[in-house]
């Protein structure tokens, strides 16, 4: 069945995407940082990571499979016990952390249940001096099925860690523009707000609760058929806060390429690993489009807008 002309979902086969897949690289021996800059690595994360150069990444964004039964392309990820998922997390994180530069940052995505063993793993690495836990961001999903015998799950977590106490955090780059309803006043005058053609706004410092993220859906140009895609707006916040132009951003579970695409749009270098060839082809297709179209939905002119705040 042909999809609607308004349906922008990226979904083509490995064969159809052969030209894009040919742009990816494989890594089966030690490589230098220059060999992987701005590259999609097609391969198994656990096999590739030992060959990558130490201290090559300014920022690592990791979105591993949550501890859920889910199919990713040709791969099934099976739900595990908390102990087994903790061991899985320890294994990939031990291979990933050596890639982080001394001033680098790590963001680790998870759902509420996966967050329990992940928190334990991060705490153990912190106790060993391998990282510092800075915060845990919770973002609200506006989609999801209701539950008759439980609270509807509408949240996900992102753990924010750094390699040490000297790290990048560009707070002014990630302020959120909110509509002014009841402005703060100083000497009777509204404080820190501005009037524009679209209304009155105030730029506020970001908190660790995000309610302004839209999960990609069929009419959005960034949408793919990947079952667990993160939005470009969400990733833009992480990249702008914790990296600078020209930095290297690494993603060990690249999926359909959102981290790489946002890094390219924001003037960073990128590298990611993905085992599913079909997803690698989607990532390269999106990277090609990002060279022409650098727009990020919900982010314009250096400003993050509250959902539906910008007409």
């Amino acid at each position: 069945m042909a999809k609607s002309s308004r349906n922008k979902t990226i979904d083509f086969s490995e064969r159809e995407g052969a030209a894009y897949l040919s742009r990816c690289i494989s890594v089966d021996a030690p490589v230098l940082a220059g060999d992987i800059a701005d590259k999609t690595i097609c391969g198994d994360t656990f096999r590739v990571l030992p060959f990558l150069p130490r201290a090559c990444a300014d920022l690592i964004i990791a979105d591993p499979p949550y501890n859920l039964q889910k199919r990713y392309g040709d791969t099934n990820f099976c739900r595990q016990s908390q102990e087994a998922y903790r061991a899985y997390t320890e294994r990939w994180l031990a291979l990933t952390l050596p890639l982080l530069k001394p001033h680098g940052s790590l963001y680790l995505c998870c759902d509420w249940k996966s967050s329990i063993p992940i928190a334990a793993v991060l705490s153990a690495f912190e106790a060993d001096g391998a990282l510092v836990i800075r915060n845990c961001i919770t973002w609200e999903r506006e989609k999801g099925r209701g539950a008759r015998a439980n609270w509807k799950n509408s949240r996900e977590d992102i753990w924010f860690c750094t390699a040490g106490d000297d790290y990048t955090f560009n707070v002014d780059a990630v302020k959120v523009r909110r509509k002014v309803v009841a402005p703060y006043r100083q000497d009777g005058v509204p404080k820190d707000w501005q009037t524009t053609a679209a209304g009155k706004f105030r730029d506020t410092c970001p908190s660790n609760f995000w309610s302004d993220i839209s999960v990609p859906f069929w009419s959005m140009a960034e949408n793919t058929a990947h079952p667990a895609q993160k939005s470009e707006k969400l990733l833009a916040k992480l990249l702008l806060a914790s990296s600078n132009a020209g930095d290297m951003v690494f993603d060990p579970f690249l999926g359909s390429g959102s981290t790489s695409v946002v890094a390219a749009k924001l003037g960073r270098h990128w590298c990611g690993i993905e085992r599913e060839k079909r997803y690698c082809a989607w990532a390269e297709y999106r990277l090609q489009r990002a060279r022409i179209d650098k727009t990020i939905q919900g982010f314009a002119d250096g400003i993050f807008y509250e959902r539906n705040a910008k007409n």
Side-chain angles (χ1 to χ4, degrees), residues 94-144:
L95 293 171
T96 301
L97 282 177
L99 275 62
L100 198 61
K101 292 182 180 180
H103 64 268
S105 297
L106 165 75
Y107 288 97
L108 202 172
C109 304
C110 54
D111 66 351
W112 73 269
K113 199 164 189 178
S114 303
S115 193
I116 299 171
I118 284 174
V121 172
L122 292 175
S123 295
F125 276 100
E126 184 176 46
D128 289 339
L131 54 78
V132 179
I133 300 173
R134 295 289 170 188
N135 213 325
C136 184
I137 299 162
T138 294
W139 64 278
E140 181 186 24
R141 297 177 60 96
E142 82 282 12
K143 297 198 298 185

Side-chain angles (χ1 to χ4, degrees), residues 108-289:
L108 202 172
C109 304
C110 54
D111 66 351
W112 73 269
K113 199 164 189 178
S114 303
S115 193
I116 299 171
I118 284 174
V121 172
L122 292 175
S123 295
F125 276 100
E126 184 176 46
D128 289 339
L131 54 78
V132 179
I133 300 173
R134 295 289 170 188
N135 213 325
C136 184
I137 299 162
T138 294
W139 64 278
E140 181 186 24
R141 297 177 60 96
E142 82 282 12
K143 297 198 298 185
R145 295 180 180 177
R148 292 181 180 274
N150 202 342
W151 306 103
K152 176 181 175 180
N153 184 21
S154 297
R155 55 162 282 198
E156 292 193 16
D157 292 339
I158 306 174
W159 287 91
F160 170 39
C161 306
T162 62
D165 291 330
D166 179 17
Y167 60 95
T168 297
F169 195 80
N170 305 310
V171 68
D172 288 336
V174 287
K175 287 186 175 179
V176 179
R177 179 155 292 184
R178 301 185 185 280
K179 286 185 175 180
V180 173
V181 179
Y184 294 104
R185 294 181 180 274
Q186 184 173 9
D187 299 326
V189 179
K191 182 184 178 184
D192 297 334
W193 67 318
Q194 54 187 300
T195 302
T196 72
K200 299 179 177 65
F201 294 93
R202 182 172 184 268
D203 294 341
T204 62
C205 288
S207 75
N208 63 353
F209 175 71
W210 298 353
S211 59
D212 61 332
I213 302 297
S214 293
V215 176
F217 55 90
W218 60 273
S219 65
M220 294 172 65
E222 68 188 78
N223 192 50
T224 75
H226 191 281
Q229 182 183 352
K230 293 295 185 291
S231 80
E232 292 185 7
K233 181 181 180 182
L234 181 150
L235 291 164
K237 291 190 177 199
L238 305 181
L239 267 80
L240 287 168
S242 296
S243 70
N244 298 305
D247 281 355
M248 169 62 83
V249 181
F250 175 71
D251 188 335
F253 302 95
L254 187 62
S256 59
S258 296
T259 298
S260 297
V261 169
V262 175
K265 289 183 176 183
L266 296 177
R268 276 69 170 165
H269 294 290
W270 70 88
C271 177
I273 307 172
E274 174 52 46
R275 65 180 298 170
E276 295 295 325
K277 294 181 179 180
R278 187 179 184 186
Y279 296 164
C280 288
W282 294 354
E284 286 297 320
Y285 171 74
R286 295 176 66 195
L287 282 163
Q288 177 176 285
R289 294 202 316 186

